[in-house]
Amino acid sequence: MNIFIKLGICLGLPLVVLLLPVTAFPIEGLSLIEQRVIAIFLLAALCWVLEPFPIYATSVLVIVIELLLVSDKGLIFLRSGAESEGFGTLISHKAIMATMASPIIMLFLGGFFLAMAATKYRLDVNLARVLLKPFGQNPAMVMLGLMGITAIFSMFMSNTATTAMMLSILAPVLGLFKAEDRGRIAFALSIPVAANIGGIGTPIGTPPNAIALKYLVGEDAISFGSWMAFAVPFVIIMLAFAWVLLVKMFPAAQEKIELNIRGKFQRSPKAILVYVTFTATILLWLFGSAHGMNSYVVAMIPVAVFSVTKVITKEDLKKISWDVLWLVAGGFALGLAMDKSGLARNMVAAIPFDQFSPYLVIASASALCLLMANFMSHTATANLLMPIVVALAVSMDSLIPLGGTQALILCVTFAASLGMSLPISTPPNALAHATGYMQTGDMAKVGVIIGIVGLLMTYAMVFILRQIGFV
């Protein structure tokens, strides 16, 4: 598609939304600020899909437009009438700017430092040599091994940190493929897919799981072990499906990967420091409950250690993928605007779920969650939907035969983690996209298929669990 046509679509449709009267939208009580957020959302979605310019530039554009149109320090003539009815609530400019330095951005930075240090001192090469050796030389089996390792790590530590670590291990493997070999697309996608799916396996694997547990209380309470009892089989099945899907969609041209990864673990003081810091950071991520630090705080440790000891120098800092950080920040800013303006909440509340059949309610709520999770933070999506979903479940007696509150919450929670169609859908997706081995379209195809199949699998497992009295 011609670049000018893309620009026309990306800029024209949001402009039309801005010019329409508020009454033209099928959302009751829509404010002027919410209308502007709709236009920003449409602009971001179109630009991230059509890519008239780099996707990180879209994120920066989103942040700047939010500051101009909907912040409390935006253009003065666009803030006039802020006290009038129907104008809406202006968003703090500090909150919008803070998305550029959110805890997850710091987690990214820590992952980048680990990856750079590992590459500089060949830790990634040696780990690849050790971990991949049992899986032979068949490309499909090597990818299966990578996905399995990634999924297990993601059950107990940050999906983002796991992806950053595994992509650093994967780098020498990707270098073995020829430029035209589509197999390297499968390999690059396998890590974020496995991380996103693996996070479902435990209550601490991903924030939406923890949010769900907050509402699963009393008779609906689910223990850590019980969660794993049904979530781990789900992860295994979905991981196997994703593996087959990637192998079929992006077959490797070469029949085997010659993993001639040679070398020894270096023994210089700085190399040993890298090994110790790398191992300590991973252990701290894994055992957060033991020391009380969350993954964001832990991520700053390698940044400090490697900077002070000059493991990472000023020249190394120039190699950090700052575009990825901007990309993720733009997604956070979009989610913030939808949350603080009340748009996301009003969009969800505008759908009369209580008038539908219980089957349609479960399908609609989880499908809506999946759709929102592709464009917003999974955590923000869960935070927005969960209170409404719980209230809906409590008020609908017709849901009881299908598992009641548990069934609806589990379906919506799993749907949140299955949103992985775009680079901005999850931090692992953004990290993988930054490798440059795939197009947004490749990620979208795989993400949509896995999302739909994952929803169907969720419904099937909840039905089976209901039959055996688990929910």
Side-chain angles (χ1 to χ4, degrees), residues 304-318:
V305 171
F306 293 155
S307 297
V308 170
T309 59
K310 296 183 179 180
V311 168
I312 299 299
T313 65
K314 181 171 64 176
E315 293 302 314
D316 293 324
L317 289 177
K318 297 177 183 179

Side-chain angles (χ1 to χ4, degrees), residues 51-385:
E51 294 188 46
F53 31 74
I55 56 176
Y56 73 86
T58 297
S59 290
V60 177
L61 183 63
V62 165
I63 293 174
V64 172
I65 292 178
E66 285 186 10
L67 289 170
L68 295 176
L69 297 186
V70 300
S71 80
D72 56 3
K73 294 297 181 182
L75 292 169
I76 190 167
F77 64 87
L78 292 175
R79 289 186 277 128
S80 60
E83 303 300 325
S84 62
E85 185 179 354
F87 185 86
T89 304
L90 290 168
I91 302 169
S92 167
H93 69 286
K94 294 180 180 179
I96 296 174
M97 289 181 171
T99 58
M100 296 291 287
S102 74
I104 292 183
I105 296 295
M106 297 302 105
L107 183 62
F108 264 97
L109 195 61
F112 286 153
F113 267 68
L114 283 178
M116 283 196 302
T119 300
K120 193 172 183 179
Y121 290 89
R122 296 185 63 79
L123 176 59
D124 57 343
V125 175
N126 286 298
L127 281 176
R129 173 172 55 84
V130 173
L131 295 176
L132 296 177
K133 188 175 181 180
F135 293 95
Q137 298 180 336
N138 184 287
M141 295 306 298
V142 172
M143 185 169 69
L144 179 62
L146 286 166
M147 293 179 73
I149 294 169
T150 302
I152 292 172
F153 283 169
S154 293
M155 291 182 188
F156 299 97
M157 58 186 283
S158 160
N159 294 353
T160 306
T162 299
T163 302
M165 179 181 68
M166 294 304 294
L167 284 176
S168 68
I169 295 173
L170 182 60
V173 178
L174 291 173
L176 298 172
F177 287 94
K178 295 179 180 179
E180 66 276 8
D181 194 336
R182 290 173 61 79
R184 68 179 183 174
I185 300 177
F187 270 76
L189 279 172
S190 67
I191 299 302
V193 167
N196 292 326
I197 293 175
I200 298 173
T202 66
I204 61 171
T206 186
N209 294 4
I211 293 169
L213 284 182
K214 184 172 68 174
Y215 294 98
L216 290 169
V217 295
E219 295 181 354
D220 297 316
I222 297 178
S223 68
F224 195 104
S226 297
W227 182 288
M228 291 189 68
F230 68 83
V232 170
F234 175 86
V235 168
I236 293 173
I237 294 172
M238 286 305 303
L239 205 64
F241 171 78
W243 173 62
V244 173
L245 178 67
L246 290 171
V247 170
K248 296 296 183 183
M249 287 186 68
F250 307 105
Q254 56 195 70
E255 296 182 359
K256 64 179 182 178
I257 294 179
E258 296 289 346
L259 289 175
N260 295 321
I261 305 175
R262 299 180 180 181
K264 297 180 179 179
F265 288 97
Q266 298 180 28
R267 298 182 180 179
S268 67
K270 286 189 177 180
I272 293 174
L273 178 65
V274 170
Y275 303 157
V276 172
T277 305
F278 195 98
T279 303
T281 302
I282 292 174
L283 290 175
L284 288 172
W285 271 330
L286 284 171
F287 301 105
S289 59
H291 52 72
M293 294 184 294
N294 61 25
S295 58
Y296 312 121
V297 174
V298 172
M300 297 306 295
I301 295 176
V303 174
V305 171
F306 293 155
S307 297
V308 170
T309 59
K310 296 183 179 180
V311 168
I312 299 299
T313 65
K314 181 171 64 176
E315 293 302 314
D316 293 324
L317 289 177
K318 297 177 183 179
K319 302 174 184 177
I320 290 179
S321 300
W322 297 106
D323 59 319
V324 177
L325 301 182
W326 287 5
L327 169 62
V328 176
F332 292 161
L334 184 61
L336 175 75
M338 295 186 68
D339 181 14
K340 297 301 182 182
S341 68
L343 174 62
R345 189 176 297 103
N346 288 338
M347 288 174 63
V348 173
I351 302 174
F353 287 118
D354 56 339
Q355 298 179 13
F356 304 147
S357 75
Y359 295 100
L360 189 57
V361 166
I362 292 177
S364 299
S366 54
L368 177 62
C369 182
L370 177 64
L371 178 63
M372 291 175 62
N374 278 296
F375 294 95
M376 293 176 58
S377 156
H378 291 180
T379 306
T381 300
N383 271 326
L384 286 170
L385 286 178

